[in-house]
Amino acid sequence: MTDSLPVALYNAAQVRELDARLIAAGTPGFELMQRAAHAAWRALRRRWPDEESITVLAGRGNNAGDGYLIAALARRAGRQVKVVAVGDAQQLQGDAALARDAAREAGVDICPWADDVTLEGVLVDALLGTGLSGEVRDPYAGAIERINASGRPVLAVDLPSGLCADTGRALGVAVRADLTVTFIGLKLGLFTAQAPDLVGELVFDDLQADETQLARLQAAATRLCPASLPRLGPRPMTAHKGSFGQVLVIGGDLGTGGAALLSAEAALRCGAGMVSLATRPEHVTAALVRRPEIMCSGVESTYSLTALLARADVLVVGPGLGQASWGRSLLSLAPGFGKPQVWDADALNLLATGAVEVPPDCLLTPHPGEAARLLQCDVAEIQADRPGAARALAERYRCAVILKGAGTLIAAPDGRLALCDRGHPAMASAGLGDVLAGVAAAFLAQGLAPYEAGCLAVWLHAAAGESHGREGRGIAAADLITTIRHLLEEQSPCRM
Ligand SMILES: NC(=O)C1=CN([C@@H]2O[C@H](COP(=O)(O)OP(=O)(O)OC[C@H]3O[C@@H](n4cnc5c(N)ncnc54)[C@H](O)[C@@H]3O)[C@@H](O)[C@H]2O)[C@H](O)CC1
Ligand SMILES: [K+]
């Protein structure tokens, strides 16, 4: 559970700027390094209280400096400590050189890296931190591979070495840590792309950084948590179903009718005043049996859709829509709708083909594959820089964008970026994207703007999925909707 972590997320350049500002404001860099080492040493003792020996793998920058000071603290506490210097320890400069000398004075054994060096006890990864640039080069790459193959518990200092602080991508190889202790400012790359598989338990220490120094820096992104989430206002007693908008869901071609129904059900359960569903006539009976509250219409052409659109306040188009002529023709009416809308699934795939234009200020909900099609690139490029991809989509389509996947991101055309660090691998299952689209539409219908609706929907959806995933159950979409509803009530109670 990471709800106690700060909300502001920074990139590497910003954290380096924070370091520089703290130093310029009178806190020596070596003092910051000592505080970092104490924070890491506390976390190590808490996590592995009985491990007698510690092996620090140190590079040549200030990340290494942290490692040398951790070694000195451990040695003074009576542990068996060894520093393996990857890269010539004599080449250390500045604070890192002072840290190396402090380790020597504490009686720490410093030995050079060799392919057959023995790695004992808890491994402390002090190879690379925010100074990483480009793919990891040898001998660091070899050292990282040895760490990952060792089967030993690993504490990563500031970042798992090889992990890009800005994007969460492993640059060639990266350390898989059991525990990462990060300092001064949370890095965006600790939460997205490959990071969830590399960071392990995350501990943050601000190194007593001056709040005003932190506040002056525009964070790269906002971490979604109960404290930072948008809220729906309480409902007046005089409320009626018209007060909370009518959502129209368009989708569900033959064979994928359930997708549109799940979106409609999610919109209904998350507070839309009324929900109508435009789908294939073949699906109407089943929809009415399952959810009689949903006004379900069978539509064969755009003609029968016009009246439904006129009555709707919010549109969700795409779940189970397909890309055949039926789906294409229904989608063709969306650009003229003129009110808030969510474009999901096949609406995005048709958008990517140029078959239709999306109006500004919609909410797009691509997974990485759909994002790649929308940006005409490979999925690998999307995952290589998820924050950049989310921003590029928002800018290109002038819409709010939910870029789904581990560490889901929400981007606004005005540059705002939010990250959701909740979720679970079990969420990679059918129907959950349809639910997310419906939940977001419900919040549009209750007055949230696209970016805010996306943030609230993503966090509730991920927190609900996490709770189901942790219980080891496969996640049934309908169960997820119920849990989302309960979390919503906690987050934005209907009545104060
Ligand atoms: N006062 C402070 O700045 C504090 C910093 N903290 C720690 O310092 C690191 C950032 O240190 P920095 O010296 O800027 O960089 P690194 O130690 O991360 O690495 C630089 C080191 O690595 C080599 N290198 C860079 N890229 C590659 C690559 N692709 N392959 C191989 N080698 C590479 C480069 O040549 C340098 O030698 C920060 O993360 C904190 O851990 C303190 O914690 C707080 C005070
Ligand atoms: K590291």
Side-chain angles (χ1 to χ4, degrees), residues 420-431:
C420 178
D421 61 358
R422 305 295 292 274
H424 195 278
M427 293 176 70
S429 60

Side-chain angles (χ1 to χ4, degrees), residues 63 125-129 156-161:
N63 195 248
D125 158 28
L127 293 169
L128 294 162
V157 176
D158 206 23
L159 289 155
S161 294

Side-chain angles (χ1 to χ4, degrees), residues 118-496:
T118 50
L119 304 179
E120 293 148 317
V122 176
L123 307 187
V124 173
D125 158 28
L127 293 169
L128 294 162
T130 54
L132 170 67
S133 61
E135 298 261 317
V136 177
R137 301 184 293 276
D138 270 326
Y140 289 70
I144 289 170
E145 282 161 353
R146 274 293 309 279
I147 290 171
N148 289 341
S150 70
R152 302 299 313 159
V154 179
L155 181 151
V157 176
D158 206 23
L159 289 155
S161 294
L163 181 72
C164 174
D166 297 354
T167 64
R169 184 177 161 225
L171 298 186
V173 288
V175 164
R176 270 193 312 280
D178 300 283
L179 167 66
T180 296
V181 186
T182 197
F183 317 113
I184 297 184
L186 279 179
K187 290 84 180 171
L188 180 53
L190 286 167
F191 299 96
T192 193
Q194 292 161 274
D197 284 331
L198 297 173
V199 167
E201 176 192 355
L202 182 64
V203 168
F204 170 73
D205 191 298
D206 65 7
L207 304 191
Q208 302 145 50
D210 175 345
E211 282 292 318
T212 51
Q213 296 290 350
L214 288 163
R216 281 198 205 123
L217 208 69
Q218 171 64 38
T222 300
R223 192 179 63 85
L224 294 178
C225 62
S228 66
L229 283 175
R231 290 178 185 277
L232 298 173
R235 295 190 163 198
M237 290 306 286
T238 54
H240 55 83
K241 65 179 185 296
S243 315
F244 306 107
Q246 174 164 174
V247 171
L248 169 62
V249 176
I250 300 177
D253 199 353
L254 297 176
T256 52
L261 181 55
L262 282 172
S263 282
E265 185 168 332
L268 181 75
R269 302 282 303 281
C270 286
M274 290 174 278
V275 177
S276 45
L277 171 59
T279 186
R280 282 281 193 184
E282 292 81 349
H283 300 148
V284 171
T285 306
L288 293 177
V289 167
R290 175 167 179 95
R291 276 281 167 217
E293 308 96 318
I294 294 170
M295 299 173 285
C296 187
S297 305
V299 292
E300 289 290 9
S301 70
T302 52
Y303 174 74
S304 47
L305 193 55
T306 308
L308 290 171
L309 283 165
R311 288 199 298 270
D313 302 301
V314 172
L315 172 62
V316 180
V317 60
L321 186 72
Q323 298 184 45
S325 58
W326 179 81
R328 282 171 178 272
S329 68
L330 300 189
L331 178 62
S332 68
L333 292 187
F337 177 58
K339 287 173 270 184
Q341 42 190 313
V342 179
W343 283 39
D344 182 47
D346 286 318
L348 299 174
N349 292 322
L350 288 167
L351 173 62
T353 65
V356 68
E357 288 289 316
V358 65
D361 300 328
C362 290
L363 177 59
L364 313 183
T365 62
H367 58 55
E370 290 155 348
R373 286 189 279 277
L374 287 166
L375 290 177
Q376 283 103 34
C377 67
D378 297 332
V379 177
E381 288 175 77
I382 298 292
Q383 294 300 85
D385 182 4
R386 288 172 50 84
R391 288 195 181 99
L393 285 163
E395 189 179 329
R396 174 163 179 178
Y397 291 99
R398 297 168 298 150
C399 289
V401 174
I402 296 174
L403 178 56
K404 298 185 279 196
T408 291
L409 292 153
I410 305 95
D414 64 7
R416 285 176 293 165
L417 184 69
L419 177 134
C420 178
D421 61 358
R422 305 295 292 274
H424 195 278
M427 293 176 70
S429 60
L432 302 195
D434 307 314
V435 168
L436 178 63
V439 174
F443 298 154
L444 290 172
Q446 296 171 79
L448 292 188
Y451 175 77
E452 285 73 10
C455 287
L456 183 57
V458 162
W459 190 87
L460 292 170
H461 184 263
E466 187 175 290
S467 69
H468 284 259
R470 283 180 192 277
E471 288 165 27
R473 301 182 258 153
I475 302 178
D479 295 346
L480 187 78
I481 294 172
T482 301
T483 306
I484 289 170
R485 181 83 198 85
H486 292 155
L487 290 173
L488 175 60
E489 190 52 27
E490 286 171 16
Q491 181 61 28
S492 293
C494 263
R495 290 292 304 153
M496 297 312 278

